[in-house]
Amino acid sequence: MIIQTVACIGGGVIGAGWVARLLENGINVNVFDSASDTQQKMQAVLSNADRAYAKLTMAQRPSKGAIAFSDSMQAAVENAQWIIESVPERIDIKHGVYAEIEKYAANDAVIASSTSGIMPTDLQRNMLHPERLFVAHPFNPVYLLPVVEIVGGEKTASVIIDRAKTFYASLGMKPIHVKKEIEAFVADRLLEAIWRESLWLIKDGITTTQELDDIVRFGFGLRYAQMGVFETYRIAGGEAGMRHFLAQFGPCLKWPWTKLMDVPEYNEELVELIAGQSDQQSGHISIRELERIRDDNLIAIQQALKANDWGAGQVLAEYEKKLFDDGARSVSTGNEVDYSEPILTTERRIPPDWTDYNNHMNEARYLQCFGDATDAFMRMAGCDAAYIESGSSFFTVETHIRHLDEVRVNEPIHTKTQLLAGVGKKIHLFHFMYHADGRLLATGEHMLVHVSLDTRAASFPSQAMQAILSAIAEHHARLPIPDGAGRAVGQSRQH
Amino acid sequence: MIIQTVACIGGGVIGAGWVARLLENGINVNVFDSASDTQQKMQAVLSNADRAYAKLTMAQRPSKGAIAFSDSMQAAVENAQWIIESVPERIDIKHGVYAEIEKYAANDAVIASSTSGIMPTDLQRNMLHPERLFVAHPFNPVYLLPVVEIVGGEKTASVIIDRAKTFYASLGMKPIHVKKEIEAFVADRLLEAIWRESLWLIKDGITTTQELDDIVRFGFGLRYAQMGVFETYRIAGGEAGMRHFLAQFGPCLKWPWTKLMDVPEYNEELVELIAGQSDQQSGHISIRELERIRDDNLIAIQQALKANDWGAGQVLAEYEKKLFDDGARSVSTGNEVDYSEPILTTERRIPPDWTDYNNHMNEARYLQCFGDATDAFMRMAGCDAAYIESGSSFFTVETHIRHLDEVRVNEPIHTKTQLLAGVGKKIHLFHFMYHADGRLLATGEHMLVHVSLDTRAASFPSQAMQAILSAIAEHHARLPIPDGAGRAVGQSRQH
């Protein structure tokens, strides 16, 4: 059954988040909410979602669904195959809403409650067709966070749970079926425990909200984005895994390490239950392999946040800035560089994610290396962050690359750079990329233009920079013209 | 004061993590641990760290520090300016270690304990020079997670805390000064609360370790990687912020939403304390702006995890695969493609992390786009995953790019591809990159060679592929030769 029209009853933050996720996935939505400002408030969420989906995936999405603001429950639900209820968290209000829905909706329309706390058995108590009601508890922002807790009540049909899992997965979500009902389900139990402990830490003056938040987002929050509570601790247990971890930390349960002291009894039964489940969950991956997966994820997350100039990514950026500054010192002062031969501009090993399906460095990374070599050369000539900040830079206008040999992951490479011409507004660079074993891997020939960042038009470099460039050009003019310079694609050798 | 040599006393997981972070930052380390297998166990952590740092940053790092395994406390600490203690969590053991350190170390050598639970005032109680001891509590993996809790005891000198913040920041870490001592400090308080609640959820049979972990890593774990407890809830409060959130959820503190029921009293004083701190922390950013920052981070994290084929990234990958399948374009089957003009090979928007310090698409991304266009063209000609699996592929041997115009984040671009020659073992491609507004942004001219992946030598494409390439080449021979084709860097126009 293909869901074409969903009714969303209640248009607060959670309801609006559902509407956004549905529309972005090409599903039509009828919204019913008695509040007069629903439409206006919802617009803010919908435009956030539009903005987010443009970035989330490069894949072509279906045409957006149509949204209709219904002026009655009847209009909203009568043609809907799926009904999402996100009204306030009071059971009397929810019971009233279900009674009205059942008056107008088809008997087989599915009803999903977004409640974060009330048990579905209690929700479905007075319904005519209770088998179609379940809880689908999402998290803010609903249009971006994958998880949705699926919880059935005593009377919920199992086929409805199966349909729910399929439907939410088709929206790009990760449905998790919580098989036993409790108030607040699973995620909010954990969040409530953190929340209560956090309130104590602030109230007792141990920390501020800022410090506490930083301790989360620069620390265990990064881990939880990729592995949960048990898999993380399984690694901490080392090769001996979960049993070792439990043996080590089980006794702490009796220690006053949280204000929250109602703890389960630590005994053999608890150890077996948890260690057994952990084996089933992660036992097929060795601890060493789990460590590598974790490390790769932590790196990728920090690099992703660096691109957004936020949180742990800012720490990484500052660290790199310091490394660049430290490393720039050796090449930043023209005097120390030997101009009598091509200048060493970069040295690195090939990172694992630079290789492609042909199991060698991807062609685009060659240009990335040459771009870095150009940057290093420019910094040496005085085009550093401060110079760019002051309003000028170099833009590459033309590139010629000869891919001469392959290079694989972790292999060490370096670049040397020869200045073919450096007078006026243009510079003409020639990079040699070498393997540490001496093989020439590639050459890059580049024309750059000095520009004003205001007008984006060509301009002259500063006097100081022109002086450095002239000095280098004068020395490099004595070097042989590199093999491949001035060559067009497919042209036979000129030199 | 520049730290050149650090002594690490205790070489378990945490001690080894410290050693790794120090060595990667060019600092020499003396290790002392009486266990006989320290060196061997530590090697595993050090090689993990080597692997991680090769990926973490492209910046040039200092030469690795030297590691020495000392056979006595004296040898380890006598020339060290900084001493890191990571021995088992028993105060009697730690007191013994400090007494020995003080026998041999310089009086002004700093001593940092990695304890996760014991208060520094208790640690420094019997010391001769207690002012130099403090807690620096890191998190696993120490070489990658930025956070470190800095906690001083009653006798710790404030200058030592300042030096600690500077030193750990220089190692790429985020030191957070916890100003009031409690057992287990801040992060482990929160983690212990989650842990205790998690044990209940497993013990009570509500969920399995796998389901609980999934609920974390596909849900709030993604949020916590970029914003903490309070900033996240500030957003949930909407424009009214933290006060509104507290008013809405404060009463829940009395509800049985966790097994952990020792809660602070919810009153006006608590609200003012928390809302006031939250204002100070995040009040300079509007809720709308916080939402956008959060969304960008959640997207970037999911995309980063997609590259690692893990967790929330797998969900995104499956979602995209479904979108690609649904929208499978005509370009996949040769017959449907119109050969009478250059072929549409890619369409995309510029992702946020593709721009550089000049605020436009980085030059290397031009080649990435052209590489993707080449891949799309090759797939169309039958060089798909199965063909490559069978042992042949195309390698790019030469590239010429003209960067004609700038393009910025989120702007839509597409490429069209003309086959200049496609007979024998070589193909000669010419890509046009257009902005959706019609501007020609760049051209890419590429020579590729068909190779055997076994021998890495040139070979002929399959008969079927040669037939498709010939057909395209025949049609494209009727098109004008593109402006810029056959051009060398710096050469004036030929056409």
Side-chain angles (χ1 to χ4, degrees):
Chain A
M1 181 187 187
I2 294 195
I3 308 299
Q4 279 162 331
T5 302
V6 172
C8 286
I9 311 305
V13 172
I14 292 295
W18 277 123
V19 172
R21 191 178 271 273
L22 293 161
L23 294 177
E24 298 292 343
N25 280 283
I27 294 168
N28 300 327
V29 182
N30 301 333
V31 180
F32 179 62
D33 188 316
S34 50
S36 59
D37 59 349
T38 300
Q39 201 159 340
Q40 176 222 322
K41 279 195 172 168
M42 190 172 281
Q43 199 45 56
V45 177
L46 298 184
S47 48
N48 270 355
D50 267 352
R51 185 178 165 284
Y53 273 71
K55 295 184 177 189
L56 180 66
T57 174
M58 296 296 141
Q60 205 168 343
R61 281 171 298 119
S63 320
K64 261 179 83 167
I67 185 168
F69 290 91
S70 309
D71 51 13
S72 70
M73 180 70 82
Q74 179 174 0
V77 304
E78 64 187 356
N79 72 335
Q81 294 100 49
W82 205 277
I83 299 162
I84 293 177
E85 168 271 303
S86 315
V87 303
E89 292 286 75
R90 276 177 41 197
I91 196 162
D92 55 329
I93 296 179
K94 293 191 188 270
H95 280 166
V97 164
Y98 302 147
E100 238 197 312
I101 289 173
E102 291 206 300
K103 246 191 266 180
Y104 303 114
N107 287 344
D108 63 351
V110 169
I111 303 177
S113 174
S114 305
T115 182
S116 58
I118 308 172
M119 297 205 284
T121 292
D122 294 330
L123 293 175
Q124 69 195 173
R125 200 171 301 283
N126 309 327
M127 287 179 65
L128 297 173
H129 302 282
E131 73 286 350
R132 51 148 150 201
L133 181 132
F134 65 99
V135 168
H137 177 221
F139 293 80
N140 211 12
V142 178
Y143 50 86
L144 275 184
L145 272 203
V147 82
V148 53
E149 291 176 311
I150 307 291
V151 197
E154 279 167 21
K155 296 184 183 157
T156 306
S158 67
V159 63
I160 294 291
I161 298 291
D162 292 341
R163 282 180 60 194
K165 286 197 276 190
T166 305
F167 179 57
Y168 293 108
S170 79
L171 302 178
M173 301 185 87
K174 175 78 178 179
I176 311 278
H177 183 197
V178 177
K179 296 181 191 72
K180 199 165 161 184
E181 283 179 276
I182 44 167
E183 284 171 318
F185 321 124
V186 175
D188 277 350
R189 292 252 153 188
L190 301 174
L191 287 169
E192 190 70 24
I194 299 174
W195 176 238
R196 290 176 184 200
E197 192 70 35
S198 298
L199 292 181
W200 276 120
L201 288 163
I202 306 300
K203 182 179 155 51
D204 291 348
I206 308 302
T207 184
T208 64
T209 60
Q210 168 90 61
E211 288 159 357
L212 188 143
D213 276 5
D214 284 350
I215 284 169
V216 171
R217 72 200 180 109
F218 294 103
F220 67 78
L222 295 166
R223 290 198 307 219
Y224 280 165
Q226 48 90 47
M227 288 183 186
V229 175
F230 292 97
E231 200 157 52
T232 297
Y233 286 152
R234 185 184 179 88
I235 296 179
E239 287 302 336
M242 205 65 207
R243 274 174 192 82
H244 179 68
F245 179 83
L246 288 168
Q248 202 176 350
F249 289 94
C252 304
L253 286 175
K254 293 286 173 216
W255 299 356
W257 273 14
T258 148
K259 285 274 186 171
L260 310 172
M261 287 299 296
D262 179 16
V263 294
E265 195 191 338
Y266 178 70
N267 56 27
E268 198 44 46
E269 201 183 329
L270 186 68
V271 169
E272 277 315 304
L273 181 68
I274 288 172
Q277 289 189 7
S278 173
D279 284 349
Q280 209 165 1
Q281 175 185 353
S282 315
H284 59 291
I285 312 178
S286 74
I287 296 293
R288 176 56 65 83
E289 180 61 19
L290 280 174
E291 284 173 349
R292 291 206 191 101
I293 293 168
R294 174 201 63 190
D295 287 0
D296 285 349
N297 292 336
L298 292 175
I299 290 163
I301 291 168
Q302 290 177 75
Q303 288 172 338
L305 291 174
K306 189 182 83 167
N308 288 1
D309 192 25
W310 187 261
Q314 276 180 334
V315 176
L316 178 57
E318 278 157 32
Y319 177 60
E320 287 187 318
K321 186 178 174 311
K322 176 181 159 290
L323 293 175
F324 276 122
D325 289 350
D326 289 353
R329 269 179 224 134
S330 57
V331 281
S332 65
T333 50
N335 290 339
E336 296 169 25
V337 178
D338 176 8
Y339 292 166
S340 71
E341 52 182 303
I343 297 163
L344 178 69
T345 35
T346 68
E347 272 182 296
R348 69 170 13 125
R349 283 178 183 272
I350 308 304
D353 60 335
W354 281 27
T355 57
D356 63 15
Y357 52 80
N358 286 324
N359 196 25
H360 58 205
M361 183 162 82
N362 180 266
E363 59 181 307
R365 300 299 185 174
Y366 283 83
L367 185 49
Q368 183 170 341
C369 288
F370 288 139
D372 290 347
T374 299
D375 283 353
F377 183 88
M378 294 324 311
R379 275 199 303 274
M380 192 192 62
C383 185
D384 54 12
Y387 187 86
I388 293 168
E389 189 67 31
S390 80
S392 297
S393 190
F394 281 90
F395 288 178
T396 302
V397 292
E398 200 171 0
T399 289
H400 178 255
I401 298 171
R402 292 182 308 153
H403 303 269
L404 301 173
D405 208 340
E406 299 178 78
V407 58
R408 300 188 182 221
V409 67
N410 266 329
E411 294 189 325
I413 63 168
H414 60 272
T415 54
K416 292 190 171 187
T417 301
Q418 181 171 344
L419 183 62
L420 298 181
V423 178
K425 298 173 183 172
K426 284 186 177 179
I427 60 172
H428 191 167
L429 288 176
F430 196 92
H431 301 302
F432 303 86
M433 181 190 298
Y434 292 101
H435 193 285
D437 67 13
R439 277 180 297 142
L440 181 62
L441 299 170
T443 63
E445 185 182 359
H446 309 269
M447 190 67 78
L448 288 92
V449 175
H450 187 273
V451 295
S452 152
L453 290 172
D454 281 342
T455 63
R456 314 305 264 195
S459 63
F460 284 101
S462 70
Q463 292 296 328
M465 193 177 295
Q466 290 193 45
I468 297 174
L469 291 171
S470 302
I472 300 172
E474 193 182 316
H475 282 81
H476 283 193
R478 294 169 206 149
L479 297 170
I481 293 174
D483 190 26
R487 179 185 148 119
V489 168
Q491 208 174 16
S492 56
R493 291 190 165 218
Q494 296 182 312
H495 308 285
Chain B
M1 181 186 187
I2 294 193
I3 307 299
Q4 278 163 333
T5 302
V6 172
C8 286
I9 311 304
V13 172
I14 292 295
W18 277 124
V19 173
R21 191 179 271 275
L22 293 161
L23 294 176
E24 298 293 345
N25 280 284
I27 294 168
N28 300 327
V29 182
N30 301 333
V31 180
F32 179 63
D33 188 316
S34 51
S36 59
D37 59 348
T38 300
Q39 201 160 340
Q40 176 220 322
K41 280 197 173 166
M42 190 172 281
Q43 199 44 57
V45 177
L46 298 184
S47 50
N48 270 355
D50 266 353
R51 186 177 164 283
Y53 273 71
K55 294 184 177 188
L56 180 66
T57 174
M58 295 300 140
Q60 208 170 335
R61 281 171 299 119
S63 319
K64 261 179 83 168
I67 185 169
F69 290 92
S70 310
D71 51 13
S72 70
M73 180 70 83
Q74 180 174 1
V77 304
E78 62 187 357
N79 70 336
Q81 295 100 49
W82 205 276
I83 299 163
I84 293 178
E85 169 273 302
S86 315
V87 303
E89 292 286 75
R90 275 177 42 196
I91 196 162
D92 55 330
I93 296 180
K94 291 188 190 271
H95 280 166
V97 164
Y98 302 147
E100 239 196 312
I101 290 173
E102 292 205 301
K103 245 190 268 177
Y104 302 115
N107 287 345
D108 63 349
V110 170
I111 303 176
S113 173
S114 305
T115 183
S116 58
I118 308 172
M119 297 204 284
T121 292
D122 295 330
L123 293 175
Q124 68 195 173
R125 200 171 299 283
N126 309 326
M127 287 179 67
L128 297 174
H129 303 283
E131 72 286 349
R132 48 144 152 208
L133 182 133
F134 65 99
V135 167
H137 177 221
F139 294 80
N140 212 10
V142 179
Y143 51 85
L144 275 183
L145 272 203
V147 83
V148 54
E149 291 175 313
I150 307 291
V151 197
E154 279 167 21
K155 295 183 186 157
T156 307
S158 67
V159 63
I160 294 291
I161 299 290
D162 291 340
R163 280 180 60 193
K165 288 197 276 191
T166 304
F167 178 57
Y168 294 108
S170 79
L171 302 177
M173 301 186 86
K174 176 78 177 180
I176 312 278
H177 184 199
V178 177
K179 295 181 191 72
K180 199 166 161 184
E181 281 180 278
I182 43 168
E183 285 173 317
F185 321 124
V186 174
D188 277 350
R189 291 253 154 187
L190 301 174
L191 287 169
E192 190 70 23
I194 299 174
W195 176 240
R196 290 175 185 201
E197 192 71 35
S198 298
L199 291 180
W200 277 120
L201 287 163
I202 306 300
K203 182 179 155 53
D204 291 348
I206 307 302
T207 184
T208 65
T209 60
Q210 167 90 63
E211 288 160 356
L212 187 144
D213 276 5
D214 284 351
I215 284 169
V216 172
R217 71 200 181 110
F218 294 104
F220 67 79
L222 295 166
R223 290 197 307 217
Y224 280 165
Q226 48 90 50
M227 288 183 188
V229 175
F230 292 99
E231 199 158 52
T232 296
Y233 287 153
R234 186 184 178 89
I235 296 179
E239 286 302 336
M242 207 64 208
R243 274 173 192 81
H244 179 68
F245 179 82
L246 288 167
Q248 202 176 351
F249 289 95
C252 303
L253 285 175
K254 293 286 173 216
W255 299 357
W257 272 14
T258 148
K259 285 271 187 174
L260 310 172
M261 288 299 294
D262 180 15
V263 294
E265 194 191 338
Y266 177 71
N267 55 29
E268 197 45 44
E269 201 183 329
L270 186 69
V271 169
E272 277 315 305
L273 182 66
I274 287 172
Q277 289 190 8
S278 173
D279 285 349
Q280 209 166 359
Q281 174 184 356
S282 316
H284 59 291
I285 312 177
S286 74
I287 296 295
R288 176 55 64 82
E289 181 60 19
L290 279 174
E291 284 174 349
R292 292 205 192 102
I293 293 168
R294 174 199 63 191
D295 287 1
D296 285 349
N297 291 337
L298 292 174
I299 290 163
I301 292 168
Q302 290 176 75
Q303 288 171 338
L305 290 173
K306 189 181 81 167
N308 287 359
D309 192 26
W310 187 260
Q314 277 180 333
V315 175
L316 177 56
E318 278 156 31
Y319 177 60
E320 287 188 319
K321 187 180 175 309
K322 177 180 159 287
L323 293 175
F324 276 122
D325 290 349
D326 290 353
R329 309 293 297 281
S330 56
V331 87
S332 64
T333 52
N335 290 338
E336 295 169 28
V337 178
D338 178 6
Y339 291 165
S340 71
E341 52 182 302
I343 297 163
L344 179 69
T345 35
T346 67
E347 273 183 297
R348 69 167 13 122
R349 282 177 185 273
I350 306 306
D353 59 335
W354 281 27
T355 56
D356 63 17
Y357 53 80
N358 286 324
N359 195 23
H360 57 206
M361 183 161 82
N362 179 267
E363 59 181 308
R365 300 300 185 175
Y366 284 83
L367 184 50
Q368 184 170 342
C369 289
F370 288 138
D372 290 346
T374 298
D375 283 352
F377 183 89
M378 295 324 310
R379 275 198 303 275
M380 194 191 62
C383 186
D384 54 13
Y387 187 86
I388 294 168
E389 188 69 30
S390 79
S392 297
S393 188
F394 280 90
F395 288 179
T396 302
V397 292
E398 201 172 358
T399 290
H400 178 255
I401 298 171
R402 294 182 306 152
H403 304 270
L404 303 171
D405 208 340
E406 298 178 78
V407 59
R408 299 186 184 224
V409 67
N410 265 329
E411 294 189 325
I413 63 167
H414 60 272
T415 53
K416 292 190 171 186
T417 301
Q418 181 172 345
L419 183 62
L420 297 181
V423 179
K425 298 172 184 173
K426 285 187 177 179
I427 60 172
H428 190 166
L429 289 176
F430 197 91
H431 301 302
F432 303 86
M433 181 191 299
Y434 292 102
H435 192 285
D437 68 13
R439 275 181 300 143
L440 182 61
L441 299 170
T443 63
E445 185 181 359
H446 308 270
M447 189 66 78
L448 288 92
V449 176
H450 187 273
V451 294
S452 152
L453 290 172
D454 281 342
T455 64
R456 314 304 265 195
S459 63
F460 284 100
S462 70
Q463 293 295 328
M465 193 177 297
Q466 290 193 45
I468 297 174
L469 291 170
S470 301
I472 300 172
E474 193 181 316
H475 282 80
H476 281 194
R478 293 169 207 148
L479 296 170
I481 293 174
D483 190 24
R487 177 187 148 117
V489 169
Q491 209 175 18
S492 56
R493 291 190 165 221
Q494 296 181 316
H495 307 286

